[in-house]
Amino acid sequence: MATYKPKNILITGAAGFIASHVANRLVRSYPDYKIVVLDKLDYCSNLKNLNPSKSSPNFKFVKGDIASADLVNYLLITEEIDTIMHFAAQTHVDNSFGNSFEFTKNNIYGTHVLLEACKVTGQIRRFIHVSTDEVYGETDEDASVGNHEASQLLPTNPYSATKAGAEMLVMAYGRSYGLPVITTRGNNVYGPNQFPEKLIPKFILLAMNGKPLPIHGDGSNVRSYLYCEDVAEAFEVVLHKGEVNHVYNIGTTRERRVIDVANDISKLFGIDPDSTIQFVENRPFNDQRYFLDDQKLKKLGWCERTTWEEGLRKTMEWYTENPEWWGDVSGALLPHPRMLMMPGDRHSDGSDEHKKTDGNQTFTVVTPTRAGGSADKPSLKFLIYGKTGWLGGLLGKLCEKQGIPYEYGKGRLEDRASLVADIRSIKPSHVFNAAGLTGRPNVDWCESHKTETIRVNVAGTLTLADVCRENDLLMMNFATGCIFEYDAAHPEGSGIGFKEEDKPNFTGSFYSKTKAMVEELLREFDNVCTLRVRMPISSDLNNPRNFITKISRYNKVVNIPNSMTILDELLPISIEMAKRNLRGIWNFTNPGVVSHNEILEMYKSYIEPDFKWSNFTLEEQAKVIVAPRSNNEMDGSKLSKEFPEMLSIKDSLIKYVFEPNKRT
């Protein structure tokens, strides 16, 4: 069997428990390997776990989130990564019952970002995905043979379901794109450095402080435990000898009931188990047994070296020597903890919080509100980008009118640090992106300023979306519908409009190209609501951006029916959409179409009776503009279904634009 030799390894989640032991082992044993660690320093991570490696020349730590696509791509390229060992995950079952969306975000979406980066860069020679024995589901109590690597996946809790989902993505990328993937599924692991939400360190810390040891149910649930150094060695073997597209169980056939673990720890501390064990309410679903067949990995040369008694003694000695390693962990020691990592200063309202700072690391532990307490619903506060723009200015006025607190962002979209600073100082509930380059005085400007247009419309928008995602914020993104043009499937005058799922087909202007590009990329962000605005119109007929103002000042206009956006009606709807936390892509136009001539006829009737104009063809128009213009009809049924009171384009024009400005 050929031995694989990596050069530059990225280990995700390596400030956590298992991965830190793996990272320290590889740094120590293979000085010619470069080990790059990526960890966002969640509540169960600790930089001190990596102390043995921090001074080594082949070690580098990067603080960041695997769900940040731009960071992951940057690291793979700049560090010339050829191997990924993917440990980063939310792993505590109790937490998954109370905060399951966080598990989906970290375990599935985070894995997907990594896989996509591997596909795009095309340089990864090994992707080792770390999964769990819990994906197999419950093992029959009388089964004498454990689950083997080809056994069916039958997860029973939100945690294991997200790990199984991540496995499916890994397998798909292996098959579809030829990514060289290996998956491991492991038993429970214990040892030094483990955050005490898990059974063994929790019982040790409770016993150290003379507290009862809480056991879910009757304590008959059976688990298998491996010592951390044995597991680190297993990953060393899988890294060098594992076969691509294979799965390896990392397990032991030595099983113990939870109550046996409590008895053994009580005896280590000289405590009477009968007086210290406390039976508490069981989990919503608590698998009775997990049992693995570990023969496949043993054939590669690995074996369990540490006995239960020796491993438990080493673990107890470490915790007694390092009682303050994790700081205040009282929330984790509850019988049913609900621990959440809260980025920055954002805490759950109504919660008790404990902060611990260690060097560059700050983490916050949030425990549930006590009985009788209340958690207030977070109030609205909008952060708006695009203060000097037309839409951004109107949004601020609407917020003032509705009594919604708001602030304009000071940062530039392409400057990530300044966006992070805005969010930390303003602490918004939602972010509105009304910034962007449309051209000065029109989109023709973008044809000769392509770099600037890309910087703002693509890089800037994606950066803001990613910063919002990292801070659990919904971004309301004002986009454009000028990415379509009438075609054979959507002919002019047919009433068949382009739908939200349709792919852009208009590339006539560079502005539209950038907007189509960024819209497609934003589909990967689940925290973005994209609003396709078209030919915006407002009651302010003096504004040069207003479509009516524009065409009323032209000598000649084309006469083509188009979908359009009446801002006086639809901008308030965008605020309501934020309140409803709507996401995805929306055609943000009034139902129906209206032509240039129909608008100018209304203008003549309501505003200027002597107004005159003439038409010219698209071919004639092309001679006086640099870039072609988009003409299309958008299907407004999705928005109309959500807001059935919305007026058709012609009725909205009369009510919101022409009646208020009527002069005749």
Side-chain angles (χ1 to χ4, degrees):
M1 183 182 300
T3 299
Y4 172 70
K5 185 175 181 180
K7 292 182 179 179
N8 304 313
I9 306 174
L10 175 67
I11 305 180
T12 69
F17 171 48
I18 301 174
S20 65
H21 286 279
V22 174
N24 290 333
R25 184 185 188 92
L26 293 177
V27 169
R28 178 179 68 247
S29 303
Y30 301 94
D32 53 335
Y33 295 179
K34 179 170 73 173
I35 308 298
V36 180
V37 164
L38 175 63
D39 198 298
K40 70 176 183 179
L41 297 181
D42 208 339
Y43 73 92
C44 55
S45 301
N46 193 329
L47 276 176
K48 291 190 292 187
N49 291 346
L50 294 165
N51 279 349
S53 300
K54 66 181 182 180
S55 60
S56 300
N58 62 328
F59 172 80
K60 180 175 183 178
F61 174 81
V62 178
K63 181 179 179 181
D65 193 337
I66 59 169
S68 175
D70 58 347
L71 174 61
V72 171
N73 279 279
Y74 175 80
L75 283 178
L76 295 192
I77 294 169
T78 58
E79 300 295 340
E80 298 181 336
I81 300 298
D82 59 19
T83 302
I84 293 178
M85 302 181 77
H86 176 36
F87 290 85
Q90 294 282 342
T91 64
H92 193 46
V93 176
D94 276 349
N95 291 353
S96 76
F97 289 118
N99 191 21
S100 56
F101 287 115
E102 195 69 19
F103 280 67
T104 300
K105 184 191 305 179
N106 281 271
N107 299 354
I108 296 180
Y109 180 75
T111 301
H112 199 169
V113 170
L114 282 174
L115 292 167
E116 188 65 16
C118 293
K119 184 193 79 173
V120 170
T121 57
Q123 65 194 47
I124 301 302
R125 296 164 55 219
R126 284 291 188 280
F127 184 100
I128 299 174
H129 175 68
V130 181
S131 191
T132 171
D133 60 354
E134 295 197 33
V135 297
Y136 293 121
E138 193 171 47
T139 306
D140 292 339
E141 291 185 57
D142 57 352
S144 58
V145 178
N147 286 300
H148 55 82
E149 285 81 358
S151 296
Q152 187 178 4
L153 304 189
L154 296 168
T156 58
N157 58 64
Y159 158 61
S160 57
T162 61
K163 294 299 286 184
E167 280 198 36
M168 295 301 100
L169 280 171
V170 171
M171 180 176 65
Y173 271 71
R175 291 181 177 177
S176 297
Y177 305 113
L179 193 66
V181 299
I182 298 173
T183 296
T184 67
R185 298 174 184 148
N187 279 150
N188 287 11
V189 184
Y190 71 100
N193 304 354
Q194 189 171 27
F195 186 75
E197 65 186 357
K198 299 301 175 83
L199 183 76
I200 291 175
K202 172 186 282 192
F203 279 4
I204 288 175
L205 285 181
L206 288 171
M208 284 169 55
N209 291 284
K211 302 289 182 65
L213 309 187
I215 291 180
H216 295 166
D218 61 4
S220 65
N221 304 78
V222 176
R223 298 292 185 265
S224 300
Y225 298 93
L226 280 169
Y227 188 64
C228 55
E229 285 302 327
D230 291 346
V231 174
E233 183 182 356
F235 280 105
E236 182 182 5
V237 171
V238 170
L239 171 65
H240 294 109
K241 298 182 180 180
E243 292 189 57
V244 170
N245 295 324
H246 280 240
V247 177
Y248 294 92
N249 287 337
I250 301 176
T252 175
T253 56
R254 300 169 184 170
E255 298 179 285
R256 280 171 179 77
R257 296 179 304 165
V258 172
I259 195 167
D260 295 331
V261 174
N263 284 329
D264 289 347
I265 290 174
S266 297
K267 291 174 183 176
L268 275 177
F269 283 93
I271 302 171
D272 179 13
D274 293 334
S275 64
T276 193
I277 290 175
Q278 179 184 65
F279 296 99
V280 299
E281 182 182 356
N282 211 343
R283 290 171 175 169
F285 190 87
N286 196 354
D287 292 317
Q288 186 63 28
R289 182 190 186 203
Y290 302 124
F291 188 40
L292 293 181
D293 182 329
D294 60 354
Q295 293 306 303
K296 185 175 179 180
L297 182 59
K298 285 183 176 178
K299 290 178 181 178
L300 297 185
W302 175 83
C303 66
E304 180 183 5
R305 301 181 187 277
T306 309
T307 65
W308 166 252
E309 292 75 17
E310 180 187 1
L312 196 61
R313 178 183 55 78
K314 287 181 177 180
T315 304
M316 182 201 71
E317 290 173 352
W318 186 88
Y319 279 95
T320 54
E321 292 169 4
N322 299 277
E324 299 300 321
W325 191 266
W326 290 103
D328 184 349
V329 291
S330 55
L333 301 181
L334 297 172
H336 296 281
R338 291 289 187 269
M339 309 288 291
L340 298 175
M341 174 62 184
M342 307 301 294
D345 298 320
R346 300 177 65 237
H347 309 298
S348 296
D349 290 341
S351 300
D352 297 324
E353 59 192 51
H354 313 281
K355 286 186 178 178
K356 175 69 180 176
T357 302
D358 172 49
N360 295 325
Q361 178 194 12
T362 300
F363 64 88
T364 303
V365 178
V366 181
T367 55
T369 304
R370 293 181 176 85
S374 64
D376 298 330
K377 184 178 179 180
S379 58
L380 291 175
K381 185 175 184 181
F382 294 163
L383 169 57
I384 302 173
Y385 287 93
K387 178 180 180 179
T388 60
W390 185 21
L391 297 189
L394 290 175
L395 280 170
K397 292 178 181 178
L398 275 174
C399 289
E400 291 176 4
K401 184 177 180 180
Q402 296 186 21
I404 299 173
Y406 75 97
E407 289 188 41
Y408 286 109
K410 297 177 181 178
R412 299 186 68 83
L413 294 192
E414 60 271 28
D415 182 357
R416 187 183 191 91
S418 67
L419 301 181
V420 171
D422 282 345
I423 287 173
R424 286 179 176 173
S425 63
I426 296 171
K427 299 180 177 61
S429 63
H430 300 75
V431 175
F432 282 74
N433 179 30
L437 285 180
T438 56
R440 312 181 188 105
N442 54 46
V443 296
D444 288 343
W445 179 90
C446 299
E447 301 298 318
S448 57
H449 297 78
K450 293 183 177 180
T451 303
E452 297 96 317
T453 306
I454 292 172
R455 185 183 303 127
V456 176
N457 292 356
V458 181
T461 302
L462 291 175
T463 300
L464 180 59
D466 195 46
V467 170
C468 288
R469 185 200 54 74
E470 287 189 340
N471 288 275
D472 296 323
L473 291 170
L474 174 63
M475 182 177 93
M476 305 298 296
N477 184 55
F478 288 95
T480 180
C482 294
I483 53 178
F484 298 100
E485 62 180 342
Y486 288 118
D487 59 14
H490 309 82
E492 179 183 331
S494 67
I496 302 173
F498 289 91
K499 295 185 177 181
E500 281 79 1
E501 60 270 22
D502 288 332
K503 299 295 184 182
N505 68 345
F506 177 71
T507 57
S509 72
F510 190 75
Y511 163 76
S512 293
K513 283 183 182 179
T514 63
K515 301 300 275 189
M517 182 189 307
V518 77
E519 180 183 289
E520 185 64 25
L521 294 170
L522 286 175
R523 289 178 186 269
E524 303 300 324
F525 289 80
D526 60 0
N527 65 310
V528 176
C529 181
T530 294
L531 306 177
R532 290 173 173 166
V533 176
R534 280 213 82 236
M535 298 179 170
I537 296 171
S538 81
S539 56
D540 181 6
L541 296 181
N542 292 316
N543 192 304
R545 293 282 187 181
N546 193 329
F547 179 73
I548 295 178
T549 307
K550 288 181 179 180
I551 63 173
S552 66
R553 295 177 180 177
Y554 294 157
N555 294 323
K556 293 183 178 181
V557 297
V558 294
N559 184 35
I560 302 173
N562 273 281
S563 290
M564 302 187 188
T565 303
I566 308 302
L567 296 176
D568 299 71
E569 181 176 16
L570 267 62
L571 274 187
I573 285 178
S574 73
I575 291 178
E576 180 59 31
M577 293 175 79
K579 293 177 181 178
R580 299 182 189 183
N581 286 315
L582 299 179
R583 297 156 195 264
I585 296 175
W586 298 76
N587 288 339
F588 203 58
T589 58
N590 291 83
V593 294
V594 63
S595 70
H596 297 65
N597 281 3
E598 287 174 317
I599 290 177
L600 292 177
E601 287 288 356
M602 292 181 191
Y603 184 85
K604 181 176 181 178
S605 175
Y606 283 88
I607 309 297
E608 191 176 339
D610 297 328
F611 182 77
K612 295 179 182 180
W613 74 97
S614 59
N615 294 125
F616 62 171
T617 65
L618 286 174
E619 292 74 21
E620 291 172 321
Q621 182 195 47
K623 295 177 182 179
V624 297
I625 58 177
V626 176
R629 303 297 195 258
S630 160
N631 294 286
N632 66 61
E633 178 175 352
M634 312 288 287
D635 186 314
S637 56
K638 180 179 178 180
L639 191 64
S640 294
K641 184 177 181 180
E642 186 73 26
F643 299 96
E645 70 281 3
M646 184 172 56
L647 297 178
S648 69
I649 182 61
K650 293 177 183 177
D651 288 342
S652 189
L653 274 168
I654 292 172
K655 177 178 179 179
Y656 290 101
V657 180
F658 289 116
E659 282 290 349
N661 286 288
K662 187 175 182 180
R663 298 177 188 171
T664 59

PDB file of all heavy atoms in Angstrom, residues 380-392:
ATOM      1  N   LEU A 380     -35.842  46.367  16.369  1.00  0.00           N
ATOM      2  CA  LEU A 380     -35.292  46.644  15.051  1.00  0.00           C
ATOM      3  C   LEU A 380     -34.258  47.763  15.118  1.00  0.00           C
ATOM      4  O   LEU A 380     -34.436  48.755  15.833  1.00  0.00           O
ATOM      5  CB  LEU A 380     -36.403  47.046  14.088  1.00  0.00           C
ATOM      6  CG  LEU A 380     -37.409  45.967  13.674  1.00  0.00           C
ATOM      7  CD1 LEU A 380     -38.507  46.595  12.824  1.00  0.00           C
ATOM      8  CD2 LEU A 380     -36.719  44.861  12.907  1.00  0.00           C
ATOM      9  N   LYS A 381     -33.205  47.593  14.378  1.00  0.00           N
ATOM     10  CA  LYS A 381     -32.252  48.663  14.142  1.00  0.00           C
ATOM     11  C   LYS A 381     -31.549  48.359  12.838  1.00  0.00           C
ATOM     12  O   LYS A 381     -30.944  47.288  12.689  1.00  0.00           O
ATOM     13  CB  LYS A 381     -31.238  48.789  15.275  1.00  0.00           C
ATOM     14  CG  LYS A 381     -30.304  50.002  15.086  1.00  0.00           C
ATOM     15  CD  LYS A 381     -29.374  50.198  16.262  1.00  0.00           C
ATOM     16  CE  LYS A 381     -28.537  51.463  16.091  1.00  0.00           C
ATOM     17  NZ  LYS A 381     -27.601  51.675  17.212  1.00  0.00           N
ATOM     18  N   PHE A 382     -31.666  49.269  11.885  1.00  0.00           N
ATOM     19  CA  PHE A 382     -31.139  49.021  10.551  1.00  0.00           C
ATOM     20  C   PHE A 382     -29.787  49.694  10.350  1.00  0.00           C
ATOM     21  O   PHE A 382     -29.572  50.837  10.766  1.00  0.00           O
ATOM     22  CB  PHE A 382     -32.108  49.532   9.480  1.00  0.00           C
ATOM     23  CG  PHE A 382     -33.425  48.795   9.430  1.00  0.00           C
ATOM     24  CD1 PHE A 382     -34.512  49.346   8.771  1.00  0.00           C
ATOM     25  CD2 PHE A 382     -33.571  47.558  10.035  1.00  0.00           C
ATOM     26  CE1 PHE A 382     -35.721  48.672   8.717  1.00  0.00           C
ATOM     27  CE2 PHE A 382     -34.781  46.878   9.988  1.00  0.00           C
ATOM     28  CZ  PHE A 382     -35.853  47.435   9.325  1.00  0.00           C
ATOM     29  N   LEU A 383     -28.892  48.975   9.721  1.00  0.00           N
ATOM     30  CA  LEU A 383     -27.626  49.527   9.241  1.00  0.00           C
ATOM     31  C   LEU A 383     -27.752  49.632   7.721  1.00  0.00           C
ATOM     32  O   LEU A 383     -27.971  48.629   7.046  1.00  0.00           O
ATOM     33  CB  LEU A 383     -26.459  48.610   9.626  1.00  0.00           C
ATOM     34  CG  LEU A 383     -25.093  48.893   8.998  1.00  0.00           C
ATOM     35  CD1 LEU A 383     -24.624  50.309   9.288  1.00  0.00           C
ATOM     36  CD2 LEU A 383     -24.064  47.872   9.480  1.00  0.00           C
ATOM     37  N   ILE A 384     -27.645  50.857   7.194  1.00  0.00           N
ATOM     38  CA  ILE A 384     -27.898  51.103   5.778  1.00  0.00           C
ATOM     39  C   ILE A 384     -26.610  51.547   5.090  1.00  0.00           C
ATOM     40  O   ILE A 384     -25.935  52.475   5.554  1.00  0.00           O
ATOM     41  CB  ILE A 384     -28.987  52.177   5.589  1.00  0.00           C
ATOM     42  CG1 ILE A 384     -30.277  51.764   6.284  1.00  0.00           C
ATOM     43  CG2 ILE A 384     -29.236  52.434   4.096  1.00  0.00           C
ATOM     44  CD1 ILE A 384     -31.350  52.855   6.295  1.00  0.00           C
ATOM     45  N   TYR A 385     -26.289  50.893   3.993  1.00  0.00           N
ATOM     46  CA  TYR A 385     -25.169  51.324   3.150  1.00  0.00           C
ATOM     47  C   TYR A 385     -25.721  51.972   1.882  1.00  0.00           C
ATOM     48  O   TYR A 385     -26.667  51.467   1.280  1.00  0.00           O
ATOM     49  CB  TYR A 385     -24.267  50.143   2.801  1.00  0.00           C
ATOM     50  CG  TYR A 385     -23.447  49.684   3.979  1.00  0.00           C
ATOM     51  CD1 TYR A 385     -23.899  48.671   4.812  1.00  0.00           C
ATOM     52  CD2 TYR A 385     -22.237  50.303   4.284  1.00  0.00           C
ATOM     53  CE1 TYR A 385     -23.162  48.267   5.915  1.00  0.00           C
ATOM     54  CE2 TYR A 385     -21.489  49.916   5.385  1.00  0.00           C
ATOM     55  CZ  TYR A 385     -21.957  48.894   6.203  1.00  0.00           C
ATOM     56  OH  TYR A 385     -21.228  48.515   7.294  1.00  0.00           O
ATOM     57  N   GLY A 386     -25.114  53.115   1.517  1.00  0.00           N
ATOM     58  CA  GLY A 386     -25.590  53.867   0.367  1.00  0.00           C
ATOM     59  C   GLY A 386     -26.227  55.190   0.768  1.00  0.00           C
ATOM     60  O   GLY A 386     -27.221  55.616   0.185  1.00  0.00           O
ATOM     61  N   LYS A 387     -25.632  55.850   1.736  1.00  0.00           N
ATOM     62  CA  LYS A 387     -26.193  57.090   2.277  1.00  0.00           C
ATOM     63  C   LYS A 387     -26.363  58.159   1.213  1.00  0.00           C
ATOM     64  O   LYS A 387     -27.368  58.881   1.196  1.00  0.00           O
ATOM     65  CB  LYS A 387     -25.283  57.616   3.400  1.00  0.00           C
ATOM     66  CG  LYS A 387     -25.740  58.927   4.011  1.00  0.00           C
ATOM     67  CD  LYS A 387     -24.791  59.365   5.116  1.00  0.00           C
ATOM     68  CE  LYS A 387     -25.242  60.687   5.737  1.00  0.00           C
ATOM     69  NZ  LYS A 387     -24.330  61.116   6.826  1.00  0.00           N
ATOM     70  N   THR A 388     -25.394  58.272   0.329  1.00  0.00           N
ATOM     71  CA  THR A 388     -25.451  59.347  -0.670  1.00  0.00           C
ATOM     72  C   THR A 388     -26.230  58.943  -1.915  1.00  0.00           C
ATOM     73  O   THR A 388     -26.415  59.759  -2.815  1.00  0.00           O
ATOM     74  CB  THR A 388     -24.025  59.755  -1.083  1.00  0.00           C
ATOM     75  OG1 THR A 388     -23.342  58.618  -1.641  1.00  0.00           O
ATOM     76  CG2 THR A 388     -23.248  60.263   0.118  1.00  0.00           C
ATOM     77  N   GLY A 389     -26.666  57.696  -1.962  1.00  0.00           N
ATOM     78  CA  GLY A 389     -27.421  57.229  -3.119  1.00  0.00           C
ATOM     79  C   GLY A 389     -28.910  57.510  -2.978  1.00  0.00           C
ATOM     80  O   GLY A 389     -29.406  57.880  -1.911  1.00  0.00           O
ATOM     81  N   TRP A 390     -29.612  57.308  -4.069  1.00  0.00           N
ATOM     82  CA  TRP A 390     -31.049  57.593  -4.094  1.00  0.00           C
ATOM     83  C   TRP A 390     -31.818  56.654  -3.158  1.00  0.00           C
ATOM     84  O   TRP A 390     -32.552  57.113  -2.270  1.00  0.00           O
ATOM     85  CB  TRP A 390     -31.537  57.447  -5.537  1.00  0.00           C
ATOM     86  CG  TRP A 390     -32.977  57.813  -5.758  1.00  0.00           C
ATOM     87  CD1 TRP A 390     -33.754  58.608  -4.976  1.00  0.00           C
ATOM     88  CD2 TRP A 390     -33.793  57.410  -6.849  1.00  0.00           C
ATOM     89  NE1 TRP A 390     -35.010  58.734  -5.511  1.00  0.00           N
ATOM     90  CE2 TRP A 390     -35.061  57.998  -6.659  1.00  0.00           C
ATOM     91  CE3 TRP A 390     -33.578  56.610  -7.972  1.00  0.00           C
ATOM     92  CZ2 TRP A 390     -36.113  57.804  -7.560  1.00  0.00           C
ATOM     93  CZ3 TRP A 390     -34.617  56.423  -8.873  1.00  0.00           C
ATOM     94  CH2 TRP A 390     -35.874  57.012  -8.667  1.00  0.00           C
ATOM     95  N   LEU A 391     -31.645  55.341  -3.317  1.00  0.00           N
ATOM     96  CA  LEU A 391     -32.399  54.391  -2.503  1.00  0.00           C
ATOM     97  C   LEU A 391     -32.000  54.481  -1.035  1.00  0.00           C
ATOM     98  O   LEU A 391     -32.853  54.424  -0.146  1.00  0.00           O
ATOM     99  CB  LEU A 391     -32.171  52.959  -3.009  1.00  0.00           C
ATOM    100  CG  LEU A 391     -32.643  52.630  -4.419  1.00  0.00           C
ATOM    101  CD1 LEU A 391     -32.534  51.137  -4.683  1.00  0.00           C
ATOM    102  CD2 LEU A 391     -34.069  53.085  -4.638  1.00  0.00           C
ATOM    103  N   GLY A 392     -30.697  54.623  -0.773  1.00  0.00           N
ATOM    104  CA  GLY A 392     -30.248  54.718   0.611  1.00  0.00           C
ATOM    105  C   GLY A 392     -30.830  55.920   1.326  1.00  0.00           C
ATOM    106  O   GLY A 392     -31.238  55.835   2.492  1.00  0.00           O
TER     107      GLY A 392
END
